[in-house]
């Protein structure tokens, strides 16, 4: 036969697009439209339905950016439509390529009952009316601007209601009543599934040829002027090829309805609340229509929003959850970033998420569902296991720029050796449409095809919500058992993981961080959000400590409700587009406001508790949240969260002029500052070791051009290093001794910005503090602070949650080369094999890069901290303004010293005037053991919860001492559940980086 494939494909595509799909709705009549445009923020549905409405004509413009317009539509079902299925078709001016990123609406009946949402890919609404009866619907229309357009990443002022345009963005195309033709709809899906399937089959395979012939046969009997009347005849020609069963060895796809809704991104939090309501309304409606369909949604925060703001929607969700059709996933408060939050924050993500799901639905999530975060901390496997989770799901690593991840179902091993069964969907998306291409890709790419048969497909429009459509459920039904295709089945992820574990009896193991080779700039963008978040985390941990101490010592009230409220605000802002700095200006403006208030409220709780404990008096008492926070000897291994009278005896510090610069000396180190304000020498007096290589000064600010190929706020592309300006010019330079510390002040002006740096060497400290006051007004620039170190470091040690991770400094393979920007928490350490090292500690930054350099026989290591960026999308003024960033250069450090100095910088002591010294509730002995938190138990029993961890990566033993009346100590889970066989007592034996949660029962 002659080759006719292209003719058949072209014929089907044209008929499907131009004839069949338009005929899904046959007869139409226009609805009468009236509107009310709100002048400000959204109102409740009850208020919306009671508005005064003015006549509106299809074809008219509506909706300034971020505005809300309420539509009222009225009509009557024509008598001749009796017995037919009738729908309202509403096009608010949609671009079908932008579901979730454009205007949307939630449809209500006159009694306030939500029906479903409409969006670019879901424009129909069921009409419960008989012929001759009136129809009335109300639409809460949201005119969200399109910010990620066909030419993406263009700077725009539309990302904040304060700067957006008042001009209408959209124009209503039509609002009609129409007859829905189910046979035509089914024909459209038959054609779509088969035309997509044949494209993925071998070019001359018999299966493909028979599909093509069936398609031709179907179109031969389809009368293009009588689509409705002949659709059944056309379907009959396709029945045989659609009934042919899948191969016995066909890959199995476990589909789960999904609408990855970013809790904030290109829309503010207030709009996410409405997106969740719109999407869940549609998904509960689809559940009612499709008996096999399952829908999964993560993020307890999103359920809490609809419970508070749309209770009528929440009750539908609650009923669907009870029926096992709407599945709460993930067990977290939000789909959090996992690289930057503290270990305590991740614990609270789990505890608040699981507590909400259990309280509202009587269930717990068995797995962590986190498809779209920007890399995954190696501390996570242990934390997930100790919180009671059994599996982990993500997709984002498929976005790697350079290296293809070698597994889809595997064991992920963390820093402590804990392993978690993990799955990546081989379809490489969390927004599947069940297209032929996606289904074939899932089967073709699945790395475990030799020994396993199943992968997961999250199905639905996402990011901005929308969810699964009836077209997708229709395709799933056709793909359930179809020759040439993977088999598709709606399935709970718990069941999928159970099956996968049964198949994979000896899964592959991936050790260490799941580093995303993309979006490296998220460690630096929007510094104000990151800094306030770091400070708020610590303030809450301290507030819990002092409040618990006051509750035990004095019987004071412990405000559980307030702690829950504040923690939930912090957890919300850990969402993977807020904390990483990749949201619009509106989101980050509000984040700064909210986190500032959280910080103030937490400090108020601490202040009240400390003052109550101190009592009335005039003694200066130091309240120390950690042994190292109060300036005690480095290496102290006891966290003694108490208050002691101030001791004022301090060793001396010397300051002298040297060659136009200054020499700073105390009993531990000697530091030389050049006239350019650079550190040219840093000597550890105990060993005589020099930390700074000759001719390579440290404390060097460097400015780079920073214009990635795409994803501006997200990405740093490696070629940024090709252009750099060293900022050595000084506008002022002075030094003095202040309060027992040598202080050097350096001011710099460059481009549109200034840096006022204060260099401080306190007495008795091996850490040179660098306090940077930066007024930043750059565009598409990256500011680094470079520290060349006279250290041959084979690896760096960078703090992560409850420990640190090691990264080699060479680039032997493409995997190491891809890690040209990496993460830390409070410190990064470069150390030689003999134990001498130099650490950099910080109070508010996360990104850094490392390079190893050879000059003759000398090998040095350079660590550069990423301070500020200036991308223009999605916030055109990212980071513009004033920033305070504190960094410490720790001379002669090891892991223990680096850990202590990082804690000391981030958890400083507080002086309170009072009468009473305060004995710590608990203290711990044992090398490397640190207490992470002290709080009262979430169940409000009054028991005390203490979390400890091993911080140095080695086995250790120690003792937890309790200084109050108690009847027992037992280990509980990370989220305070009882264990089947708990360890008891205060004697501790910890493995490397092990985290333990101890419950102390008060007498």
């Amino acid at each position: 036969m002659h080759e006719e494939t292209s003719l058949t494909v072209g014929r089907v595509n044209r008929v499907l697009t131009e004839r069949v799909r338009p005929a899904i709705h046959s007869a139409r009549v226009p609805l009468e439209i009236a509107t009310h445009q709100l002048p400000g923020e959204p109102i409740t549905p009850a208020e919306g339905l009671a508005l005064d409405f003015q006549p509106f004509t299809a074809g008219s413009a509506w909706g300034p950016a971020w505005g809300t317009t309420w539509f009222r539509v009225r009509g009557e079902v024509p008598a001749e439509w009796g017995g037919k299925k009738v729908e309202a078709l509403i096009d608010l001016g949609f671009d079908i390529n932008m579901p979730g990123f454009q205007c949307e609406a939630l449809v209500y009946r006159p009694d306030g009952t939500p029906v479903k949402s409409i969006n670019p890919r879901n424009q129909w609404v069921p009409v419960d009316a008989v012929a001759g009866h009136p129809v009335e619907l109300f639409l809460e229309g949201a005119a969200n601007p399109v910010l990620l357009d066909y030419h993406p990443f263009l700077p725009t002022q539309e990302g904040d209601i304060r700067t957006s345009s008042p001009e209408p963005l959209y124009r209503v195309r039509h609002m009609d009543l129409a007859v829905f033709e189910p046979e035509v709809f089914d024909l459209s899906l038959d054609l779509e599934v088969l035309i997509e399937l044949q494209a993925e089959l071998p070019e001359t395979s018999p299966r493909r040829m028979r599909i093509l012939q069936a398609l031709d046969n179907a179109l031969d009997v389809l009368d293009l002027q009588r689509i409705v009347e002949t659709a059944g005849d056309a379907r009959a020609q396709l029945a045989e090829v659609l009934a042919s069963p899948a191969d016995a060895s066909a890959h199995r796809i476990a589909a789960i309805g999904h609408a990855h809704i970013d809790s904030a991104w290109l829309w503010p939090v207030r709009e996410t609340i409405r997106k969740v309501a719109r999407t869940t309304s549609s998904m509960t409606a689809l559940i009612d229509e499709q008996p096999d369909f399952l829908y999964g949604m993560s993020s307890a925060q999103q359920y809490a929003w609809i419970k508070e703001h749309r209770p009528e929607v929440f009750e539908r969700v609650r009923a669907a959850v009870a029926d096992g059709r709407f599945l709460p996933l993930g067990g977290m408060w939000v789909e959090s970033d996992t690289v930057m939050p503290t270990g305590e924050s991740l614990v609270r993500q789990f505890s608040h998420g699981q507590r909400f799901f259990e309280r509202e639905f009587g269930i717990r999530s068995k797995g962590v569902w986190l498809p779209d975060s920007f890399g995954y901390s190696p501390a996570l496997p242990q934390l997930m296991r100790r919180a009671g989770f059994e599996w982990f799901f993500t997709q984002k690593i498929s976005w790697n720029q350079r290296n293809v991840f070698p597994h889809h179902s595997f064991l992920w091993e963390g820093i402590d050796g804990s392993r978690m069964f993990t799955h990546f969907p081989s379809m490489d998306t969390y927004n599947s449409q069940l297209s032929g291409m996606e289904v074939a890709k899932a089967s073709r790419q699945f790395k475990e095809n030799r020994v396993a048969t199943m992968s997961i497909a999250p199905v639905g429009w996402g990011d901005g919500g929308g969810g699964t459509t009836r077209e997708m459920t229709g395709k799933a039904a056709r793909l359930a058992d179809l020759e040439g295709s993977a088999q598709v089945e709606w399935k709970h992820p718990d069941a999928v993981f159970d099956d996968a574990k049964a198949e994979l009896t000896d899964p592959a193991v991936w050790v260490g961080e799941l580093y995303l080779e993309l979006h490296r700039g998220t460690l630096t963008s929007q510094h104000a959000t990151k800094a306030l978040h770091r400070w708020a985390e610590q303030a809450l941990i301290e507030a819990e400590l002092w409040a618990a101490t006051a509750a035990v010592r004095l019987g004071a009230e412990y405000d559980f409700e307030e702690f829950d409220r504040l923690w939930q605000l912090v957890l919300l802002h850990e969402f993977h587009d807020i904390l990483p700095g990749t949201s619009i200006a509106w989101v980050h403006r509000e984040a700064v406001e909210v986190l500032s208030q959280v910080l103030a409220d937490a400090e108020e709780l601490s202040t009240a508790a400390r003052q109550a404990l101190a009592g009335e008096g005039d003694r200066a008492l130091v309240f120390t949240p950690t042994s190292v926070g109060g300036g005690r000897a480095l290496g102290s291994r006891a966290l003694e969260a108490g208050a002691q009278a101030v001791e004022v005896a301090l060793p001396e510090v010397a300051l002298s002029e040297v060659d136009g610069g200054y020499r700073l000396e105390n009993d531990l180190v000697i530091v030389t500052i050049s006239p350019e304000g650079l550190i040219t020498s840093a000597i550890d007096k105990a060993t005589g070791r020099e930390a700074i290589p000759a001719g390579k000064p440290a404390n060097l600010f460097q400015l780079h051009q920073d214009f990635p190929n795409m994803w501006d706020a997200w990405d740093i592309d490696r070629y940024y290093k090709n252009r750099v300006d060293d900022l050595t010019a000084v506008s002022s330079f002075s030094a003095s001794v202040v309060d027992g510390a040598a202080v050097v002040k350096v001011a710099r002006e460059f481009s549109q910005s200034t840096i006022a740096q204060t260099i401080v060497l306190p007495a008795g400290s091996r850490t040179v503090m660098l306090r940077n006051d930066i007024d930043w007004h750059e565009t598409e620039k990256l500011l680094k602070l470079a520290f060349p170190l006279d250290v041959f470091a084979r690896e760096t040690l960078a703090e992560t949650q409850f420990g640190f991770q090691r990264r080699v400094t060479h680039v032997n393979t493409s995997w190491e080369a891809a890690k040209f920007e990496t993460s830390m928490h409070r410190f990064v350490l470069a150390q030689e094999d003999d134990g001498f090292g130099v650490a950099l500690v910080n109070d508010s930054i996360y990104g850094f890069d490392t390079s190893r350099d050879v000059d003759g026989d000398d090998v040095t290591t350079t660590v550069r901290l990423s301070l500020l960026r200036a991308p223009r999308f999605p916030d055109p003024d990212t980071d513009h303004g004033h920033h305070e960033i504190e960094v410490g250069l720790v001379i002669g450090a090891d892991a223990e010293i680096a850990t202590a100095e990082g804690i000391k910088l981030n958890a400083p002591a507080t002086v309170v005037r009072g009468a009473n010294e305060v004995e710590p509730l608990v203290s711990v002995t044992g090398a490397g053991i640190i207490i992470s938190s002290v709080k009262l138990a979430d169940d409000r029993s009054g028991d005390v919860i203490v979390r400890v961890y091993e911080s140095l990566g080695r086995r250790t033993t120690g003792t937890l001492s309790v200084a109050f009346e108690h009847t027992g100590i037992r280990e509980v889970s990370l989220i305070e559940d009882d264990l089947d066989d708990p360890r008891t007592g205060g004697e501790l034996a910890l493995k490397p980086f092990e985290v333990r949660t101890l419950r102390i029962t008060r007498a």
Side-chain angles (χ1 to χ4, degrees):
M1 294 180 65
H2 298 292
E3 197 284 319
E4 296 182 349
T5 298
S6 59
L7 283 174
T8 301
V9 171
R11 180 189 186 192
V12 172
N13 283 329
R14 185 174 185 192
V15 170
L16 181 60
T17 302
E18 297 184 21
R19 294 293 185 270
V20 176
R21 286 181 182 138
I24 291 172
H25 293 91
S26 52
R28 298 191 186 201
V29 294
L31 288 159
E32 174 191 289
I33 311 170
T35 64
H36 186 113
Q37 181 175 305
L38 297 180
E41 286 296 282
I43 57 178
T44 66
E47 293 170 315
L49 269 59
L51 293 169
D52 294 325
F53 289 86
Q54 300 301 315
F56 183 90
T57 304
S60 300
W62 71 282
W66 307 116
T68 299
T69 298
W70 278 85
F71 294 86
R72 185 190 66 203
V73 295
R74 289 173 171 170
E76 185 176 295
V77 178
E80 60 270 25
W81 292 5
K84 297 183 177 181
K85 185 175 181 179
V86 179
E87 296 178 342
L89 293 183
I90 297 171
D91 187 339
L92 296 176
F94 295 131
D95 180 337
I96 64 168
N97 295 317
M98 295 188 176
F101 295 88
Q102 220 188 21
C103 56
E104 304 171 67
L106 182 52
V107 182
Y108 291 88
R109 296 186 181 93
D111 64 359
T113 304
V115 184
K116 64 182 288 289
S117 68
I118 58 169
N119 61 57
R121 291 280 184 160
N122 206 331
Q123 300 182 20
W124 62 277
V125 182
V127 173
D128 297 327
V130 296
H133 283 223
V135 173
E136 185 175 41
L137 296 170
F138 293 82
L139 286 70
E140 182 190 16
N144 300 331
V146 175
L147 302 179
L148 197 64
D149 215 329
Y150 289 99
H151 187 165
F153 317 118
L154 292 179
T156 175
Q157 294 295 333
E158 298 296 296
D160 195 330
I161 198 169
R162 294 181 176 179
T163 57
S164 59
S165 168
E167 297 302 315
L169 296 177
Y170 299 105
R171 191 173 297 275
V172 172
R173 291 196 180 93
H174 60 251
M175 294 189 180
D176 298 333
L177 286 178
V179 174
F180 176 75
E181 302 291 353
E183 193 75 1
V184 180
F185 177 73
D186 284 335
L187 175 61
S188 72
L189 294 181
D190 292 346
L191 294 172
E192 185 174 328
V193 166
L194 290 172
I195 199 67
E196 291 179 348
L197 172 59
Q198 64 81 30
E200 302 300 327
L201 296 173
E203 188 171 336
T204 59
S205 71
R207 173 62 170 162
R208 187 185 192 203
M209 293 300 104
R210 286 177 174 81
I211 290 174
L212 290 167
Q213 187 58 49
L215 290 168
D216 266 333
N217 294 344
L219 297 193
D220 286 344
V221 302
L222 183 67
D223 188 332
L224 300 187
Q225 279 67 52
R226 298 174 62 248
I227 297 289
V228 174
E229 294 82 355
T230 58
D233 296 334
R235 293 195 71 210
Q237 297 295 319
L238 302 173
E240 184 177 347
V241 291
L242 284 168
S244 184
D247 299 334
S249 59
H251 185 67
R252 296 184 298 152
I253 293 176
I256 178 68
H258 194 236
H260 175 73
I261 304 175
D262 287 313
S263 292
W265 181 27
L266 303 180
W267 43 86
V269 166
R270 72 91 149 136
E271 193 56 32
T272 311
I273 296 170
R274 301 201 295 174
K275 282 178 175 287
V276 174
R278 289 190 286 260
T279 296
T280 53
S281 293
S282 288
M283 294 305 95
T284 52
L286 192 60
I287 284 170
D288 291 340
E289 296 167 11
Q290 302 291 336
D292 298 330
F293 175 61
L294 299 176
Y295 179 74
M297 188 172 88
S298 70
S299 305
Q301 172 71 87
Q302 297 188 359
Y303 293 82
W305 277 333
I306 55 173
K307 181 184 179 185
E308 177 183 357
H309 297 281
R310 293 292 190 270
E312 67 283 357
V313 177
F314 185 72
E315 288 311 310
R316 289 170 59 179
V317 170
R318 189 195 297 276
V321 172
D323 289 341
R325 305 285 304 285
F326 196 115
L327 313 178
L329 299 175
M332 299 179 75
W333 190 248
V334 298
E335 288 188 9
S336 171
D337 178 83
T338 69
V339 175
M340 290 176 280
T342 62
E344 281 302 316
S345 279
L346 292 182
V347 171
R348 309 314 168 90
Q349 286 286 352
F350 297 147
S351 66
H352 282 265
Q354 293 286 51
R355 282 162 54 196
F356 182 91
F357 287 156
E358 187 166 48
R359 181 173 65 249
E360 298 297 333
F361 307 123
I363 64 172
R364 290 278 190 93
S365 297
K366 291 177 68 175
V368 173
W369 181 273
L370 199 57
D372 189 33
S373 202
F374 308 146
Y376 305 91
S377 161
L380 263 182
Q382 176 181 199
L383 303 188
M384 290 187 287
R385 286 196 57 174
R386 291 183 179 273
F389 294 103
E390 298 176 13
W391 54 261
F392 176 64
F393 173 89
T394 187
Q395 174 271 331
K396 200 68 174 187
I397 302 301
S398 70
W399 285 38
N400 275 2
Q401 285 178 318
R402 190 162 188 175
N403 297 288
V404 177
F405 196 78
H407 314 297
H408 285 112
S409 293
F410 61 100
L411 291 174
W412 177 24
E413 182 179 307
I415 55 173
D416 72 312
S418 294
R419 292 180 175 181
M420 176 60 64
F421 197 92
T422 299
H423 177 72
F424 297 170
S426 53
M427 197 177 278
D428 287 351
T429 181
Y430 52 79
N431 291 330
S432 171
Q433 314 310 308
L434 290 180
S435 70
M437 180 274 292
E438 291 171 336
V439 171
K441 185 178 185 180
S443 176
R444 182 176 61 251
Q445 288 198 156
F446 187 54
K447 302 293 187 183
E448 282 67 47
N449 266 328
R450 284 193 173 200
V451 290
T453 63
M454 183 176 287
S455 64
I456 291 177
V459 178
W461 297 107
D463 290 324
T468 317
T469 65
R470 64 184 177 187
E471 289 81 5
M472 297 170 195
T473 59
K475 294 179 80 169
R478 288 158 176 79
L479 295 169
D481 190 16
L482 184 61
E483 182 187 355
S485 170
Q487 295 177 286
V488 176
E489 174 187 6
W490 298 108
K491 195 162 186 173
H492 195 304
D494 288 348
V496 181
F497 276 90
D498 288 344
D499 290 350
K501 291 176 184 178
E503 287 185 327
L504 279 168
T505 56
D506 186 23
V509 178
W510 181 267
V511 178
E513 66 183 321
L514 292 173
Y515 177 90
L516 178 62
E517 297 175 6
L518 197 73
H519 295 358
R520 302 167 180 89
T522 59
L523 299 171
T524 305
S525 296
Q526 297 286 1
H527 173 262
T529 298
K530 290 175 167 60
L532 283 163
H533 170 262
R534 166 94 65 96
W535 303 337
E537 284 179 302
Q538 181 59 37
L540 275 173
I541 292 167
E542 290 190 28
E544 287 177 330
L545 164 66
W546 301 126
T549 305
V552 173
R553 294 275 180 255
L554 308 175
E557 178 187 2
Y558 187 94
D559 197 338
F560 289 96
E561 297 292 340
E562 180 69 352
F563 278 119
D564 280 354
R565 182 185 74 84
L566 295 176
W567 266 115
Q568 287 168 12
L569 288 171
V570 169
L571 300 179
L572 167 60
H573 288 87
E574 291 169 357
F575 177 73
H576 63 252
D577 277 307
I578 303 179
L579 184 56
T582 52
S583 290
I584 55 174
W586 190 348
V587 172
H588 289 289
R589 169 170 57 81
E590 289 189 338
V592 167
E593 294 169 1
V594 171
L595 291 172
S596 295
Q597 189 60 54
V598 170
L599 180 61
D601 291 349
E603 289 176 342
E604 184 177 340
L605 289 170
S606 286
T607 297
R610 285 191 297 251
Q611 196 60 64
L613 288 162
E616 296 297 326
D618 198 40
R619 298 178 69 195
L621 303 172
V622 177
F623 276 75
T624 311
T626 169
S627 60
V628 296
R632 293 169 150 199
L634 292 173
S636 173
R637 297 172 180 86
L639 182 144
E640 298 178 2
Q644 299 82 33
V646 173
E647 297 179 5
V648 296
L650 289 173
E652 294 183 353
V653 64
L655 173 69
S656 58
E657 289 191 35
V658 178
D659 298 329
Y662 298 99
R663 172 186 165 114
L664 291 60
E665 182 176 0
N666 62 19
D667 58 325
L668 297 176
V669 297
I670 304 170
V671 178
T672 304
I673 312 294
S674 76
E676 294 77 29
L678 306 178
I679 298 176
T680 56
S681 175
I683 297 172
D684 174 39
K685 293 172 75 171
T687 62
R689 281 289 305 269
E690 171 65 75
I692 308 300
K696 296 181 179 180
N699 189 36
L700 173 64
F701 290 96
Q702 295 184 305
L703 192 66
H704 292 272
Q705 185 76 47
D706 181 20
F707 189 63
N709 287 354
M710 57 191 300
W711 298 110
D712 294 28
W714 294 257
D715 283 359
I716 295 174
D717 286 341
R718 64 179 312 114
Y719 55 74
Y720 84 90
K721 292 185 178 181
N722 297 346
R723 176 174 174 177
V724 59
D725 294 321
D726 292 344
L727 305 180
T728 57
V730 172
S731 54
S732 66
F733 186 53
S734 62
S736 60
V737 175
V738 180
D739 295 331
V743 178
V744 177
K745 294 187 175 183
V746 186
R748 306 181 191 276
E749 298 177 0
F750 61 97
S751 185
Q752 307 300 311
S753 305
T754 62
I755 302 173
Q757 185 183 64
T758 303
I759 305 170
V760 180
L761 179 64
S765 173
R766 64 177 63 252
T767 301
V768 183
M769 299 309 306
L770 308 168
R771 296 168 184 162
N772 305 292
D773 191 318
I774 306 173
D775 191 20
W776 178 253
H777 296 281
E778 301 305 306
T779 298
E780 293 158 357
K781 295 290 193 295
L782 169 62
L783 183 65
K784 290 267 190 177
L785 184 56
F787 293 87
L789 304 174
D790 196 1
V791 175
F792 180 4
R794 303 180 191 276
E795 59 187 12
T796 58
L797 278 57
E799 190 187 38
T800 187
Q801 297 92 354
F802 301 123
F804 56 77
Q805 57 183 315
R806 301 175 183 269
R807 297 188 185 96
V808 296
T809 56
H810 64 72
V811 288
N812 280 359
T813 72
S814 59
W815 293 89
E816 284 97 29
K819 296 181 181 181
F820 57 83
E821 182 80 4
T822 51
S823 65
M824 63 177 167
H825 278 202
R826 294 173 295 197
F827 74 82
V828 57
L829 169 67
Q831 188 176 14
E832 289 194 349
D833 294 345
D834 65 2
F836 179 82
V838 179
L840 294 165
V841 296
N842 75 88
D843 73 339
S844 59
I845 60 174
Y846 296 92
F848 73 98
D849 71 88
T850 308
S851 60
R852 187 195 293 181
D853 305 298
V854 177
D855 184 4
D857 295 330
D858 296 326
V859 180
T860 60
T861 304
T862 298
V863 178
R864 302 192 312 151
L865 308 182
S866 299
L867 304 186
L868 295 169
R869 298 187 67 216
R872 300 186 66 204
F873 182 87
D875 177 1
D877 298 313
T878 300
D879 277 332
H880 284 198
H882 176 247
H883 301 272
E884 295 180 357
I885 301 172
E886 191 162 8
V887 172
L889 175 68
V890 189
I891 305 157
D894 56 16
E896 187 172 11
I897 291 173
T899 300
E901 287 294 273
I903 292 173
K904 180 179 174 181
L905 174 59
N906 285 267
T910 303
V911 177
V912 177
R913 292 285 174 180
N916 310 314
E917 291 194 4
V918 180
E919 185 182 9
L921 289 183
V922 294
S923 59
V924 65
T925 61
I929 301 177
I930 290 177
I931 293 180
S932 174
S933 68
V934 178
K935 60 189 283 292
L936 293 194
D938 288 338
D939 64 6
R940 308 190 181 190
S941 62
D943 288 356
V944 175
I945 299 294
V946 179
R947 193 154 13 255
V948 301
Y949 70 100
E950 196 289 313
S951 64
L952 303 179
R954 57 199 188 205
R955 292 177 183 267
T956 191
T957 58
T959 302
L960 178 75
S961 299
V962 180
F964 58 88
E965 292 296 320
H966 63 285
T967 59
I969 303 172
R970 70 183 188 276
E971 185 178 7
V972 293
S973 80
L974 209 61
I975 59 175
E976 303 176 22
D977 290 335
D978 285 329
L979 302 177
D980 291 337
D981 186 22
R983 289 173 282 193
T984 60
E987 296 304 312
L988 303 175
L990 298 181
K991 297 175 183 177
F993 298 130
E994 183 179 0
V995 182
R996 296 267 301 278
T997 305
L998 305 171
R999 185 182 187 115
I1000 306 170
T1001 304
R1002 290 165 63 188

